[in-house]
DNA sequence: CTCGGTGCAAAGAGTTTGCAATCCG
DNA sequence: CGGATTGCAAACTCTTTGCACCGAG
């Protein structure tokens, strides 16, 4: 009995409803795509894949869905260095992780080694910074930039 | 005009030369702007300010200069969440710092509190990650996302 | 039935590129 | 002098918007 399968645990219908939004076929397709990949897809790539699930989905809907999900904190938008945004589910089966970003080919590599220490330290910083700057922190990002093995 | 006197220490002429590039009036204006601000400026904002120093500078030159400087590792390009890139000198008088990014107004706040511990930890991660992923790390980024005091 | 959601086409905005003229070294 | 650099305008690409129709609840 695998855990974390989409339709079981994740009540997307309810999540959307909580934000005064409705669940639709287009949104479901986008979410299914995000759940089914371990890559960091662009809006366009999500669109292509979503269309294979539901040919009626339009690119506009993909953009609008991703924006909603970002506002809801369910999706993170990432900057890989090429000029288009890339997206990943905030709570995916990959678990919490950070990124290595190649400045040559813009590839993003996930890593979750050693991040326990990183996260622990960040939580302390978070607490202090929140207070000092009167800033409500919702999430964090750690990325290392350099040249990946392929590009050397 | 005394060229090359970009604040004594920094030998930009030499830096460019090391990359097979030349020092020009346009590039000097861009660098002077970057050195003279503590904000995270967009290409367009840099262009406006650079034009006040040298009215002959074009937006294209600003973009091309920023790209060269990025390649040279002298400038970092930042993603503030609005769709344009923002830039800061890699080695500026602000010293090493990280960012708080407001997801509502896209303001970026620098902080350098507590970062000694952060940097120390990152250097360890860096070493291990470099080896494990055969990835040459040149720089890192830490950002906290949330809501700033103005936006609450 | 009521709004929120959708697709399409067109607009918008930031960034890049082609090219002839210009400037650095 | 020779190749790097520049400004301008046009081209490009990603993203957003206006609008009439559709559909979830």
């Amino acid at each position: 009995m695998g855990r974390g399968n989409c339709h079981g645990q994740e009540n997307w219908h309810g999540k959307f409803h909580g934000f005064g939004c409705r669940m639709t076929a287009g949104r479901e397709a986008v979410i299914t795509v995000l759940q089914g990949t371990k890559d960091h897809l662009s809006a366009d790539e999500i669109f292509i894949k979503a269309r294979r699930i539901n040919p009626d989905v339009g690119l506009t809907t993909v953009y609008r869905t991703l924006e909603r999900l970002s506002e809801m904190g369910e999706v993170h938008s990432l900057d890989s260095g090429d000029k288009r945004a890339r997206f990943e589910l905030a709570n995916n089966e990959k678990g919490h992780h950070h990124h290595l970003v190649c400045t040559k080919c813009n590839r993003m590599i996930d890593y979750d080694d050693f991040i326990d220490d990183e996260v622990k330290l960040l939580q302390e910083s978070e607490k202090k910074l929140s207070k000092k700057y009167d800033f409500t922190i919702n999430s964090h990002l750690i990325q290392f930039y350099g040249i990946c093995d392929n590009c050397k």
Side-chain angles (χ1 to χ4, degrees), chain A residues 115-131:
Chain A
I115 73 162
D116 288 348
D117 290 337
E118 287 175 11
V119 171
K120 194 173 142 212
L121 181 67
L122 286 199
Q123 283 170 343
E124 288 172 37
S125 298
E126 212 168 295
K127 209 182 301 172
K128 297 176 195 161
L129 291 169
S130 280
K131 180 167 292 184

Side-chain angles (χ1 to χ4, degrees), chain A residues 99-112:
Chain A
H99 302 291
L100 301 178
V101 184
C102 180
T103 52
K104 204 151 195 169
C105 69
N106 297 315
R107 184 159 70 113
M108 300 185 91
I109 301 169
D110 296 322
Y111 74 89
D112 58 6

Side-chain angles (χ1 to χ4, degrees), chain A residues 27 58-71:
Chain A
R27 287 175 176 171
L59 179 56
T60 307
T61 291
V62 172
Y63 274 109
R64 287 195 271 229
T65 299
L66 290 169
E67 196 192 342
R68 280 282 187 301
L69 289 170
S70 290
E71 290 166 4

